Amino acid sequence: MTYHKLLQKQINKYLPKDFRQHNDFRAFLESVNTSYNSYEKDKGIMNQAFQESEKEYNEVHENLKRENDLKERSIENLYESLKGIDDTYQDIKDEDKNDLLFISGYLSEQIEKRRKSEKSLNHTVELFKMLLANIQSGVMVEDENRKILFINQLFCNFFGIKERPETMVGMDCVVTAERSRHIFRKPDDFVNRLETIFEEGKIVTNELIETTDNRFFERDYIPIVINGELQGNFWKYTDVTEKKQTLTLIEQNEERNRLIMNAALNAIINIDSAGKITFWNRQAEKIFGWSQDEVLGQNLTDTIIPEKYASGHINGMNHYLETGEGPVLNRQLELSGLNRDGQEFPIEISILPINHNEEKFFCSFIQDISERKKAETSLKAQEEKYRNIIANMNMGLIEVDRNDIILYANQGFLSISGYELDEIIGKSAPEIFMYNEDLKLVKSKQELRRKGISNLYQLPIKNKKGELRWWAISGGPNYDDNGEWIGSIGIHLDITEQKRMEIELKNEKIKAQQASKSKEAFLAHMSHEIRTPLNAIVGFLRELSKQDLTAAQKEYVNNSNIASKHLLAIINNVLDISKIEAREMSLEKEDFIFENTINNVVTVMKPRAEAKELYLSKSVSEHIPKVLKGDVLRLEQILFNLIGNAVKFTTQGGVAVDCSFVESSDARQKIKISISDTGIGIDADFQKDIFRKFTQEDKALTTKRYGGTGLGLFITRELVELMGGTIEIESEKGKGTVFHVYLELEKGDEEKIQKANQQEEWMNLENVTILLVEDNILNRMVAQNSLKHYKCNVIEAENGLKAIEILKTGANIDLILMDIQMPEMDGIEATTLIREELKLDIPIIALTANAFKTEVERCQKVGMNDYVTKPFDEDVLINMIAKYTNNGKIEKIGTLTKLYDLRLIQGLSSENDKFMNELLVVFIEQVNETIQKTEIALSENNFTEVGRIMHKIRPSVESLRIHSISNELKQLEELAKNAENVTAIKILFGFIRAKLEEVILQLKENERDFL
């Protein structure tokens, strides 16, 4: 066991070892040891308590020292406080200076006094805040750290701040500026300028800033500096939008006034009461030569006033300033001015005195009248000159007052009237010169003059000898210097001879009109007289050609048919001319394929060219639309005339037809068709007359060698102009001719083109009863033969009277064919009786040799339904009958779809059966040859030969209008060039061959008359 160190030391020193191990003695030692330990523990506690007590004592001691120091400092602070609130603190007694209670009482007294002062100050501050809150400007006060001390509601409104002003106190102004920057037109400049102002710390006034909503604020800034140190900032924003707008308007008005004065035609010069120049506009610079900078502040007498006027100017201005009187003011004066070069020149000046803001100044309006003075001088000379001219001119001039009393007359008027001046002055002009029946006209002219109206008129008058004369009178009103009407002035010209010629011309015009009517009547009569037998000839030849004839007979019939057609063409040309001159020619408007039209004409004309061993080529620009709209028959007539002439007058070389694009719009296309030949050419002197009627160069030789009437080119030009186009010619004798035709046609619609496959219908007119009213027995026979072929019942009447008798019997008539010119009763009279007396509505078709508009209108006026021109085309006549008798009696006896169309070549060949026969035979042979050669070429894979054969057959196919294979032919020709798709080539040829073989069968079946 371990004992306390002191006890262990005693044991080791005094107690024997034996006792140390004894149990009882050991217990004793343990008890003693416990006492030692307790003592040691108590001693430690006492030491610690003593240390704690010592520590606490030291702390109390330190606290007392601090309290003493604090008391001393408090007293010192109280004295310092007294220095700030009371200047009499030094009067306190020494014994009271350390008396804290005394000092506290004294300080409380001073604080009470300060409280009352602060209360008064707070009241003043509140008044100041109220003032700032209600001032008509946005106000903000910030401290030195840019924290808001005060802000009013208007400032918040200006800057779009939704918080109330009291809640803004203490906020950072920089943050507020960033939040409000968007309302200004230049937000970055606004923020940057605030920083610049704050950094510079200088007073800013009247600084203008603009908002995005077109408002203007005027900004003022004052730094708050106390004892040399910045204690805060004062900002004020005032809405000056209205003021700015007003100032802008004022500035604009000032600028406008300045521009107006600078743009004025007069020089405008302002001087003050001392005579110094204060304004000088541009016109003043121009007139006087001095610039504005040179004269402002200068005296007027030292610049523009000549020396001789200087003293008068000074005296006059001083007199006005003293008395208010100025005889030269507010008036226009003509004086002399002085320019920069020292030269005097005439001016017109007006000086106006002006009082403004209790100051007087003078405004001068000056005009350089040098040119006017020259003009006045010249005018005086001219007046004198014209006065002499008026007095001596050949035309008569007279001046009368408001009552037509003569005031003045020149020598010319005296000469044409026969009077002397003293015989007419002061007398009434109408009473001297006018006939009674013209006085009313003169009065009406006087009313025109009263209204300020001038006019020219002709009037018969009587001269001094009483002779009838015609005067052309140009009358106008006469005014005085005030613009008041005081009478009239008239210029008179004797036109008696011209009037006689005018009357004669009117008579000649009447005669010409009568002659024109006579010409029309003559043409109508001659047309009837020629067409009537021609109708019989053509009809009988048509019927004869239907018979079985020998070859010689058929040739004679064909030749006769050609001759009759030629005669008919001449008659048609004459009538076409008459229609054109009478403006009765009209044009159709239909969609057509332009290239087909060119191909058709070239195809028909090519045999004629080849017969003369000439080439005939054509080209069509790809820029020309496929489909155009116009009168295709008239276009073909133009082309046939021009190409026919080209072939006729060419013996070597050939003819080329070129169609080119000129210009295009959305709806129209302008094209040029050029027909050029290598023929005999046309002399330059004759080219101007080439389009005249019945005109041929070297007429005797041309007619003898080439034939023709000289009408073709005239009709061609008229048709071109009727279409709205032009035609031009280029030619050189012996080298050939080129005709250029310019046409502007509407673009057509391809969908409206009729299908190529056409169907023809044969009408059965059986049981249709027709009354044929015709005085010529041959024409009746022709009509009978044609109508019998269609099984019509025909009743004949040789004139209108016989027709009326037949109708009165109640005969059942379905249609009347009525000739116009007949003996006893013509077609017009007969139709009038049928409609008005018999009250019959039977369709009446006029048979007329005159297709003039007047004739057609006559027919329609009396009640005819339609007309057919003689000699009639059988198809036209039958279709016309079918049109007006389609009442159930007409039956379609069959339809046949033809793969070809012969109408083009029939019309162009004048129905020459021989020509038709030769053409069809050649076509059939060509088709058979084409099929055979193509099959051989295909077997040898010679596709180039296939393309050549297809190209060769195309014109013949187009001339017969076999449209069902036209596209396939073109496609096959293109495919054969490349020979890439052999299968397609063979399929196309198989289709084309089948169609051509079918066409040959149809030709042999349907065209027996030609084969």
Side-chain angles (χ1 to χ4, degrees):
M1 179 178 180
T2 302
Y3 297 104
H4 188 276
K5 61 182 181 176
L6 292 177
L7 179 60
Q8 186 69 43
K9 184 177 180 183
Q10 292 295 325
I11 291 173
N12 293 334
K13 183 176 180 182
Y14 299 108
L15 188 64
K17 291 183 181 179
D18 295 336
F19 286 96
R20 296 177 188 174
Q21 302 297 327
H22 192 276
N23 289 332
D24 293 332
F25 199 76
R26 186 184 295 171
F28 171 77
L29 291 174
E30 289 177 0
S31 298
V32 174
N33 185 60
T34 302
S35 298
Y36 269 88
N37 287 333
S38 297
Y39 173 78
E40 190 69 32
K41 181 178 181 182
D42 291 339
K43 183 181 177 182
I45 292 171
M46 288 180 66
N47 288 334
Q48 184 178 1
F50 177 77
Q51 289 174 356
E52 289 296 327
S53 297
E54 184 180 18
K55 183 178 179 181
E56 289 178 0
Y57 172 78
N58 289 332
E59 287 179 355
V60 170
H61 177 71
E62 290 296 328
N63 287 336
L64 288 174
K65 286 176 67 177
R66 283 198 299 271
E67 287 179 5
N68 185 59
D69 291 340
L70 181 61
K71 176 181 178 183
E72 290 178 357
R73 286 199 302 271
S74 296
I75 294 172
E76 290 178 0
N77 289 336
L78 287 173
Y79 274 104
E80 290 296 326
S81 299
L82 288 175
K83 291 179 183 179
I85 62 176
D86 184 20
D87 294 335
T88 62
Y89 76 95
Q90 296 176 348
D91 297 335
I92 299 175
K93 298 177 181 179
D94 291 337
E95 60 270 20
D96 295 330
K97 287 182 178 180
N98 293 322
D99 189 345
L100 185 60
L101 293 176
F102 174 81
I103 295 300
S104 297
Y106 185 83
L107 184 60
S108 296
E109 182 181 346
Q110 296 303 320
I111 289 173
E112 181 62 24
K113 291 181 180 179
R114 176 58 62 88
R115 188 184 64 78
K116 292 180 179 178
S117 298
E118 287 180 353
K119 183 177 180 182
S120 176
L121 180 61
N122 287 337
H123 180 69
T124 302
V125 170
E126 289 300 321
L127 289 176
F128 181 69
K129 285 183 177 180
M130 185 177 294
L131 174 64
L132 293 180
N134 293 281
I135 194 172
Q136 294 303 307
S137 297
V139 175
M140 183 182 71
V141 180
E142 59 186 17
D143 62 14
E144 67 276 12
N145 296 318
R146 307 214 58 189
K147 302 296 182 183
I148 297 175
L149 297 176
F150 174 80
I151 188 171
N152 69 354
Q153 184 63 49
L154 196 56
F155 187 96
C156 296
N157 295 342
F158 284 171
F159 283 80
I161 299 172
K162 297 182 179 180
E163 291 88 344
R164 296 202 45 84
E166 55 270 18
T167 64
M168 297 289 292
V169 174
M171 292 184 66
D172 192 336
C173 292
V174 177
V175 176
T176 304
E178 283 292 335
R179 287 173 52 191
S180 303
R181 63 183 293 169
H182 67 278
I183 72 171
F184 295 98
R185 188 169 296 278
K186 297 180 179 180
D188 292 338
D189 292 352
F190 169 74
V191 175
N192 294 336
R193 178 58 180 158
L194 287 178
E195 293 300 324
T196 301
I197 292 172
F198 180 75
E199 290 173 1
E200 292 177 351
K202 296 179 182 179
I203 294 176
V204 175
T205 59
N206 302 329
E207 189 172 71
L208 198 65
I209 52 177
E210 185 179 2
T211 67
T212 56
D213 57 355
N214 301 318
R215 289 181 298 159
F216 289 90
F217 292 153
E218 194 173 73
R219 176 167 57 200
D220 296 320
Y221 164 76
I222 301 175
I224 303 174
V225 179
I226 301 175
N227 296 327
E229 293 184 2
L230 181 68
Q231 299 296 320
N233 302 289
F234 175 83
W235 302 88
K236 184 181 80 167
Y237 290 84
T238 305
D239 190 340
V240 294
T241 304
E242 187 174 349
K243 176 182 176 183
K244 175 66 177 175
Q245 291 173 345
T246 303
L247 289 174
T248 301
L249 289 175
I250 292 173
E251 290 173 357
Q252 290 175 349
N253 286 333
E254 289 178 350
E255 179 65 14
R256 187 182 298 110
N257 293 335
R258 185 184 65 80
L259 291 174
I260 290 172
M261 288 192 290
N262 276 325
L265 298 178
N266 290 350
I268 302 176
I269 302 172
N270 293 346
I271 61 173
D272 59 18
S273 56
K276 304 294 183 181
I277 297 173
T278 58
F279 180 79
W280 182 274
N281 74 342
R282 290 177 185 170
Q283 190 65 13
E285 293 180 347
K286 182 177 179 181
I287 291 177
F288 295 102
W290 279 288
S291 68
Q292 187 182 55
D293 294 336
E294 292 175 315
V295 298
L296 288 180
Q298 298 293 320
N299 198 296
L300 202 62
T301 55
D302 297 333
T303 51
I304 68 171
I305 297 179
E307 187 176 352
K308 60 184 176 182
Y309 297 134
S311 61
H313 166 73
I314 296 172
N315 295 334
M317 190 169 68
N318 291 335
H319 179 73
Y320 174 77
L321 293 174
E322 293 173 0
T323 65
E325 297 178 355
V328 299
L329 300 177
N330 300 309
R331 294 173 55 194
Q332 279 191 348
L333 303 174
E334 289 188 6
L335 302 171
S336 293
L338 194 67
N339 63 20
R340 184 172 184 171
D341 297 330
Q343 297 175 342
E344 290 190 25
F345 60 95
I347 61 172
E348 186 177 77
I349 182 170
S350 300
I351 305 173
L352 306 177
I354 300 175
N355 294 322
H356 182 67
N357 293 334
E358 298 182 355
E359 293 183 3
K360 293 183 179 180
F361 66 94
F362 301 89
C363 181
S364 302
F365 297 88
I366 304 172
Q367 186 175 4
D368 184 351
I369 59 173
S370 302
E371 295 299 323
R372 193 175 81 189
K373 283 297 183 181
K374 292 179 183 178
E376 287 177 356
T377 302
S378 176
L379 182 61
K380 288 180 180 178
Q382 292 293 331
E383 285 180 352
E384 185 64 26
K385 174 183 175 181
Y386 288 121
R387 191 176 292 110
N388 292 331
I389 291 174
I390 290 171
N392 299 286
M393 68 181 181
N394 292 328
M395 290 184 292
L397 184 143
I398 187 174
E399 181 181 350
V400 299
D401 65 11
R402 299 170 65 173
N403 297 314
D404 287 330
I405 301 301
I406 299 173
L407 304 176
Y408 169 80
N410 70 345
Q411 186 58 46
F413 185 85
L414 299 176
S415 298
I416 64 175
S417 67
Y419 288 93
E420 297 296 331
L421 185 61
D422 56 359
E423 292 179 314
I424 60 175
I425 291 294
K427 295 182 180 179
S428 172
E431 292 179 0
I432 298 175
F433 302 108
M434 307 302 173
Y435 292 98
N436 291 335
E437 56 268 25
D438 295 321
L439 292 177
K440 186 176 180 181
L441 174 63
V442 174
K443 291 293 183 183
S444 68
K445 301 300 179 185
Q446 189 181 50
E447 288 300 316
L448 291 178
R449 306 296 173 263
R450 190 188 304 275
K451 296 176 182 178
I453 300 173
S454 302
N455 70 331
L456 177 68
Y457 58 98
Q458 298 176 3
L459 200 66
I461 62 94
K462 54 186 176 181
N463 61 12
K464 185 177 180 180
K465 296 179 181 180
E467 298 171 336
L468 172 64
R469 308 294 293 179
W470 279 92
W471 285 356
I473 304 173
S474 176
N478 189 20
Y479 301 97
D480 60 14
D481 294 338
N482 296 322
E484 184 178 352
W485 177 64
I486 58 173
S488 304
I489 295 177
I491 298 176
H492 303 69
L493 179 66
D494 191 325
I495 58 168
T496 303
E497 295 304 318
Q498 293 91 320
K499 195 67 178 179
R500 288 173 183 170
M501 291 178 61
E502 182 183 329
I503 293 171
E504 291 176 2
L505 285 173
K506 284 184 178 180
N507 294 332
E508 291 299 323
K509 182 179 179 182
I510 293 172
K511 291 179 182 179
Q513 290 173 340
Q514 292 174 345
S516 178
K517 291 182 179 179
S518 299
K519 170 188 168 184
E520 185 177 322
F522 170 75
L523 286 174
H525 179 72
M526 289 303 298
S527 174
H528 182 271
E529 293 300 322
I530 296 173
R531 283 176 181 266
T532 296
L534 187 59
N535 181 54
I537 294 170
V538 172
F540 282 125
L541 287 173
R542 182 173 58 245
E543 295 301 318
L544 189 58
S545 65
K546 297 177 183 178
Q547 307 300 318
D548 292 329
L549 303 175
T550 65
Q553 290 171 336
K554 193 165 187 177
E555 183 177 357
Y556 294 154
V557 170
N558 287 338
N559 291 337
S560 300
N561 195 27
I562 292 171
S564 64
K565 295 296 184 183
H566 181 67
L567 178 59
L568 181 60
I570 294 174
I571 295 171
N572 287 339
N573 277 343
V574 173
L575 292 177
D576 277 349
I577 292 171
S578 300
K579 284 185 178 182
I580 290 171
E581 291 178 341
R583 300 185 182 277
E584 293 186 5
M585 180 71 75
S586 60
L587 296 176
E588 300 293 331
K589 187 178 287 187
E590 60 182 353
D591 294 287
F592 68 94
I593 300 176
F594 178 75
E595 187 171 2
N596 286 356
T597 300
I598 302 298
N599 290 339
N600 292 340
V601 177
V602 171
T603 300
V604 173
M605 297 303 300
K606 203 160 191 175
R608 298 187 187 181
E610 291 174 348
K612 298 180 69 174
E613 297 183 352
L614 304 174
Y615 67 80
L616 177 56
S617 64
K618 57 92 178 174
S619 66
V620 179
S621 170
E622 61 182 8
H623 298 295
I624 299 176
K626 180 179 180 181
V627 179
L628 296 173
K629 183 176 290 187
D631 194 325
V632 66
L633 294 179
R634 293 299 180 185
L635 177 58
E636 289 179 351
Q637 184 178 351
I638 291 169
L639 295 174
F640 278 122
N641 281 345
L642 294 177
I643 298 174
N645 278 353
V647 172
K648 181 194 296 184
F649 294 108
T650 302
T651 56
Q652 291 182 345
V655 179
V657 181
D658 297 307
C659 307
S660 58
F661 162 84
V662 178
E663 61 183 11
S664 177
S665 63
D666 292 340
R668 303 185 70 82
Q669 172 82 46
K670 188 174 183 179
I671 59 174
K672 179 174 76 171
I673 305 174
S674 299
I675 295 94
S676 57
D677 64 59
T678 59
I680 62 175
I682 303 170
D683 189 84
D685 294 335
F686 183 71
Q687 290 179 23
K688 62 181 182 297
D689 299 321
I690 192 68
F691 295 109
R692 290 175 56 190
K693 290 182 292 184
F694 307 108
T695 301
Q696 291 177 321
E697 186 180 12
D698 194 1
K699 191 170 184 179
L701 178 61
T702 303
T703 304
K704 181 178 180 181
R705 182 173 179 181
Y706 299 103
T709 60
L711 296 175
L713 286 179
F714 170 77
I715 293 174
T716 297
R717 185 190 66 178
E718 294 298 323
L719 289 175
V720 169
E721 292 180 352
L722 192 62
M723 291 181 177
T726 57
I727 184 169
E728 299 174 355
I729 181 174
E730 297 177 12
S731 185
E732 185 175 350
K733 192 68 174 178
K735 294 186 178 180
T737 303
V738 182
F739 284 95
H740 300 290
V741 177
Y742 294 89
L743 295 174
E744 188 173 350
L745 302 172
E746 291 184 26
K747 294 179 181 178
D749 186 351
E750 192 169 351
E751 295 181 359
K752 294 183 179 179
I753 297 292
Q754 297 180 353
K755 293 182 179 179
N757 295 335
Q758 298 181 4
Q759 293 186 339
E760 293 186 1
E761 298 178 350
W762 284 266
M763 295 292 183
N764 181 9
L765 299 180
E766 188 175 1
N767 299 325
V768 173
T769 302
I770 296 175
L771 176 58
L772 175 61
V773 187
E774 168 66 66
D775 65 320
N776 188 289
I777 187 172
L778 295 179
N779 284 335
R780 293 203 301 273
M781 292 174 63
V782 170
Q784 279 277 19
N785 287 332
S786 295
L787 294 174
K788 282 180 180 178
H789 183 69
Y790 292 89
K791 300 181 181 180
C792 293
N793 298 324
V794 180
I795 302 175
E796 297 183 5
E798 60 267 27
N799 56 50
L801 192 59
K802 293 291 184 180
I804 296 299
E805 292 176 357
I806 292 171
L807 291 172
K808 285 183 177 179
T809 62
N812 187 15
I813 305 298
D814 296 308
L815 182 137
I816 301 173
L817 295 176
M818 181 75 73
D819 189 20
I820 299 302
Q821 295 186 21
M822 295 180 292
E824 298 191 44
M825 181 181 289
D826 62 24
I828 300 297
E829 295 178 82
T831 301
T832 302
L833 289 174
I834 292 170
R835 297 298 189 219
E836 295 182 0
E837 291 189 11
L838 301 183
K839 306 295 184 183
L840 298 177
D841 58 359
I842 301 171
I844 302 176
I845 307 300
L847 296 176
T848 176
N850 177 13
F852 281 99
K853 183 179 178 181
T854 52
E855 183 77 358
V856 174
E857 288 176 348
R858 284 179 64 208
C859 296
Q860 293 174 341
K861 187 175 181 180
V862 297
M864 293 188 178
N865 300 85
D866 221 319
Y867 71 96
V868 174
T869 304
K870 294 190 294 185
F872 59 80
D873 182 281
E874 187 176 272
D875 290 339
V876 174
L877 178 64
I878 296 305
N879 287 332
M880 187 69 72
I881 294 172
K883 175 181 177 181
Y884 288 97
T885 58
N886 189 11
N887 54 8
K889 297 181 179 179
I890 299 175
E891 299 175 359
K892 296 179 182 179
I893 62 173
T895 62
L896 175 65
T897 301
K898 284 187 178 181
L899 298 177
Y900 63 91
D901 186 354
L902 301 182
R903 287 183 294 177
L904 175 64
I905 58 177
Q906 283 176 333
L908 298 176
S909 65
S910 301
E911 297 186 6
N912 185 332
D913 291 348
K914 181 179 179 180
F915 174 76
M916 290 290 294
N917 171 262
E918 293 174 353
L919 181 64
L920 294 180
V921 169
V922 169
F923 175 75
I924 293 172
E925 291 175 353
Q926 185 182 22
V927 168
N928 290 329
E929 184 181 358
T930 296
I931 293 173
Q932 183 180 1
K933 288 183 176 180
T934 305
E935 289 176 342
I936 294 172
L938 285 174
S939 66
E940 297 174 351
N941 290 327
N942 188 354
F943 299 108
T944 302
E945 179 65 13
V946 172
R948 189 190 66 78
I949 296 171
M950 292 301 105
H951 181 76
K952 185 177 180 181
I953 194 66
R954 274 178 58 191
S956 299
V957 170
E958 291 171 353
S959 64
L960 267 70
R961 296 182 175 178
I962 308 174
H963 299 303
S964 59
I965 60 172
S966 58
N967 291 331
E968 285 75 9
L969 278 173
K970 293 179 183 178
Q971 188 177 359
L972 179 55
E973 186 178 346
E974 290 297 322
L975 287 174
K977 289 180 181 179
N978 301 321
E980 294 179 354
N981 194 338
V982 177
T983 303
I985 292 174
K986 291 181 178 180
I987 292 173
L988 280 173
F989 173 68
F991 174 79
I992 293 169
R993 180 181 58 190
K995 288 294 181 182
L996 288 175
E997 290 174 347
E998 188 176 353
V999 168
I1000 292 174
L1001 290 175
Q1002 288 189 0
L1003 286 173
K1004 291 179 177 179
E1005 178 68 26
N1006 301 325
E1007 312 303 334
R1008 295 177 180 177
D1009 293 340
F1010 302 120
L1011 293 173

